[in-house]
Amino acid sequence: SAVISQKPSRDICQRGTSLTIQCQVDSQVTMMFWYRQQPGQSLTLIATANQGSEATYESGFVIDKFPISRPNLTFSTLTVSNMSPEDSSIYLCSARIDNQPQHFGDGTRLSIL
Amino acid sequence: QKEVEQDPGPLSVPEGAIVSLNCTYSNSAFQYFMWYRQYSRKGPELLMYTYSSGNKEDGRFTAQVDKSSKYISLFIRDSQPSDSATYLCAMATLGRLYFGRGTQLTVWP
């Protein structure tokens, strides 16, 4: 099955700083997705990233706070900007591979002090 | 009303038990139905998916979809301690996934 790698796996950051999360897929994919998972809550889609175009953000998420890059068909980054304790969460990337349902990376566990 | 409802549990069963996990939904446009398994400190792992009403079996796992009742189930037979995880139902329409909150399952030896 497809391998999706995320880095870093976890981090502890100071409020007001920014962190960039990397997501690497072992095959070329058209669409990549970024989610947030908070304890006891369902996964929440942040944005969809297509190679060669601007990411599409869901309601409640803005590009200034969560800028996304998609430089090629196997890689994407999500930046969490100007972090506050409310941004403490697990951030997951996923991709649809070979028309299968989305596969996920293991996530980035982010804590903001 | 959330589009996908899932009882978060926790659910605790002895080894060998049959486990039933369920989700209901409100959006008739959902076309694909999935179950993901998520171990602690890991990402969701696709377990099963189907796009039609009825049953789909894979080893000890059976996924059931009833579109008329907007209800999906995952059955685990002969449950094992290694099945202890959080199980997430998910539904898709127009290329987008909608998740339940997940049910935390513990299978004790």
Side-chain angles (χ1 to χ4, degrees), chain A residues 5-22:
Chain A
S5 304
Q6 270 186 250
K7 288 195 292 188
S9 59
R10 63 187 308 160
D11 209 338
I12 300 172
C13 301
Q14 297 293 324
R15 68 176 68 200
T17 63
S18 299
L19 178 74
T20 296
I21 302 168
Q22 299 179 9

Side-chain angles (χ1 to χ4, degrees), chain A:
Chain A
S1 60
V3 175
I4 300 178
S5 304
Q6 270 186 250
K7 288 195 292 188
S9 59
R10 63 187 308 160
D11 209 338
I12 300 172
C13 301
Q14 297 293 324
R15 68 176 68 200
T17 63
S18 299
L19 178 74
T20 296
I21 302 168
Q22 299 179 9
C23 182
Q24 178 77 49
V25 186
D26 69 351
S27 60
Q28 294 185 339
V29 296
T30 303
M31 298 173 73
M32 295 180 71
F33 306 86
W34 287 97
Y35 289 84
R36 184 169 70 183
Q37 184 178 31
Q38 296 180 310
Q41 303 297 317
S42 56
L43 273 71
T44 302
L45 181 64
I46 296 171
T48 301
N50 291 335
Q51 196 271 334
S53 62
E54 292 289 326
T56 302
Y57 289 83
E58 296 299 309
S59 175
F61 298 96
V62 296
I63 187 171
D64 289 346
K65 176 68 175 178
F66 298 100
I68 288 171
S69 78
R70 183 75 204 275
N72 58 51
L73 289 173
T74 64
F75 188 78
S76 178
T77 68
L78 170 76
T79 298
V80 186
S81 303
N82 188 25
M83 290 183 285
S84 66
E86 293 72 36
D87 295 319
S88 296
S89 189
I90 299 171
Y91 292 86
L92 293 155
C93 75
S94 73
R96 289 197 66 194
I97 301 167
D98 295 331
N99 287 323
Q100 299 291 306
Q102 291 175 32
H103 291 265
F104 286 81
D106 279 340
T108 296
R109 283 150 185 81
L110 182 57
S111 298
I112 314 302
L113 301 179

Side-chain angles (χ1 to χ4, degrees), chain B residues 14-44:
Chain B
E15 183 175 355
I18 297 174
V19 176
S20 172
L21 305 168
N22 310 294
C23 289
T24 59
Y25 63 95
S26 58
N27 189 346
S28 299
F30 288 141
Q31 300 168 300
Y32 296 88
F33 305 88
M34 287 138 285
W35 286 95
Y36 287 84
R37 177 175 61 194
Q38 187 172 22
Y39 290 115
S40 179
R41 303 192 178 282
K42 292 290 189 180

